[in-house]
Amino acid sequence: DTGVSQDPRHKITKRGQNVTFRCDPISEHNRLYWYRQTLGQGPEFLTYFQNEAQLEKSRLLSDRFSAERPKGSFSTLEIQRTEQGDSAMYLCASSSTPAADEGYTFGSGTRLTVV
Amino acid sequence: AQKITQTQPGMFVQEKEAVTLDCTYDTSDPSYGLFWYKQPSSGEMIFLIYQGSYDQQNATEGRYSLNFQKARKSANLVISASQLGDSAMYFCAMLFRAGANSKLTFGKGITLSVRP
């Protein structure tokens, strides 16, 4: 296992378009998290899954955002009708349950630019 | 409410010297974990070190050590013998264990620049 993979690494889109990001977690990890990071800030929690169940969503996750983890393996994060304020790094992470002293393993992120 | 605070401005250190990056936290939960992550310009968050709230000794991992002062609610990262490759953003994070929905909460980060 090579760690958490995210695709694409970079995405430039026009305002109003829809975008979808993919995350492949470490296979033994049953928890998967999405975070958003804007320039000069720490990552902010968006949502997380345990297996295929989405257990929590942040208030940051407006109704334009939707996340899925259909078979408890990879996850997708879709943003509909993108806005310039959506420009950020979207980080995916995975962990075992419970995440003890190893914390989370993060992917390299998808950097979204909305023009 | 749980909160992580990193207030230092950008930090500079001379190569081969030690540097301390500050982190304070606020929680009423007795059980929690503290983490430091490094984020180079490539964007990936790299796990550095972990300290559990019940651990009696300060954590160490190679050149990284964590100065954990529970009563002061601080968890400062000490990097010894700085290297040019240590230049990056550093984030303190906390995992609150109470309840099933615990998740990592991050501070705003500190930029470290190592000078040759």
Side-chain angles (χ1 to χ4, degrees), chain B residues 13-20 38 48-49 59-66 76-87 90 112 114:
Chain B
V13 65
Q14 205 68 30
E15 193 178 9
K16 298 181 185 177
E17 292 186 350
V19 62
T20 298
K38 172 184 178 182
L48 296 178
I49 197 167
T60 60
E61 286 288 346
R63 295 186 298 112
Y64 304 108
S65 60
L66 204 153
N76 298 339
L77 177 70
V78 180
I79 306 174
S80 63
S82 298
Q83 301 172 357
L84 295 177
D86 294 335
S87 294
Y90 288 81
L112 175 66
V114 180

Side-chain angles (χ1 to χ4, degrees), chain A:
Chain A
D1 200 338
T2 56
V4 178
S5 300
Q6 291 189 246
D7 183 70
R9 289 294 311 275
H10 303 274
K11 179 71 178 179
I12 299 174
T13 191
K14 291 184 178 179
R15 190 176 52 184
Q17 297 293 306
N18 300 343
V19 294
T20 300
F21 311 141
R22 177 180 170 123
C23 173
D24 288 88
I26 291 174
S27 56
E28 310 90 76
H29 288 175
N30 52 12
R31 283 200 175 184
L32 185 148
Y33 306 83
W34 285 99
Y35 282 79
R36 182 172 70 187
Q37 185 180 21
T38 52
L39 201 60
Q41 301 295 316
E44 296 174 296
F45 170 77
L46 292 179
T47 187
Y48 91 94
F49 294 83
Q50 181 161 318
N51 301 312
E52 66 276 8
Q54 188 173 19
L55 296 187
E56 188 175 346
K57 293 195 291 186
S58 162
R59 282 172 287 182
L60 292 175
L61 214 64
S62 75
D63 56 7
R64 296 184 297 106
F65 288 70
S66 62
E68 294 182 342
R69 194 183 182 195
K71 295 180 181 176
S73 56
F74 72 91
S75 175
T76 57
L77 177 67
E78 181 183 16
I79 309 174
Q80 295 182 326
R81 305 181 302 281
T82 51
E83 301 172 356
Q84 287 189 321
D86 297 331
S87 295
M89 174 79 89
Y90 291 84
L91 291 163
C92 177
S94 68
S95 74
S96 56
T97 308
D101 57 357
E102 77 274 13
Y104 300 174
T105 302
F106 283 84
S108 296
T110 294
R111 187 173 297 281
L112 173 68
T113 303
V114 182
V115 298

Side-chain angles (χ1 to χ4, degrees), chain B residues 1-115:
Chain B
Q2 296 93 351
K3 188 178 177 183
I4 300 286
T5 302
Q6 295 180 265
T7 58
Q8 287 169 305
M11 294 287 288
F12 294 88
V13 65
Q14 205 68 30
E15 193 178 9
K16 298 181 185 177
E17 292 186 350
V19 62
T20 298
L21 307 181
D22 295 343
C23 172
T24 58
Y25 60 92
D26 188 20
T27 181
S28 55
D29 295 319
S31 179
Y32 50 88
L34 293 157
F35 301 80
W36 278 90
Y37 282 83
K38 172 184 178 182
Q39 188 178 42
S41 56
S42 59
E44 184 179 0
M45 298 287 283
I46 301 168
F47 166 72
L48 296 178
I49 197 167
Y50 162 84
Q51 179 86 42
S53 59
Y54 294 120
D55 292 344
Q56 295 298 311
Q57 292 188 326
N58 287 343
T60 60
E61 286 288 346
R63 295 186 298 112
Y64 304 108
S65 60
L66 204 153
N67 183 2
F68 180 47
Q69 298 187 44
K70 194 170 182 177
R72 291 178 138 186
K73 295 187 176 177
S74 74
N76 298 339
L77 177 70
V78 180
I79 306 174
S80 63
S82 298
Q83 301 172 357
L84 295 177
D86 294 335
S87 294
M89 283 283 288
Y90 288 81
F91 292 94
C92 180
M94 194 164 185
L95 184 62
F96 305 98
R97 302 193 185 283
N101 290 337
S102 60
K103 55 191 176 290
L104 268 180
T105 301
F106 288 85
K108 290 188 174 182
I110 302 167
T111 301
L112 175 66
S113 299
V114 180
R115 291 171 168 155

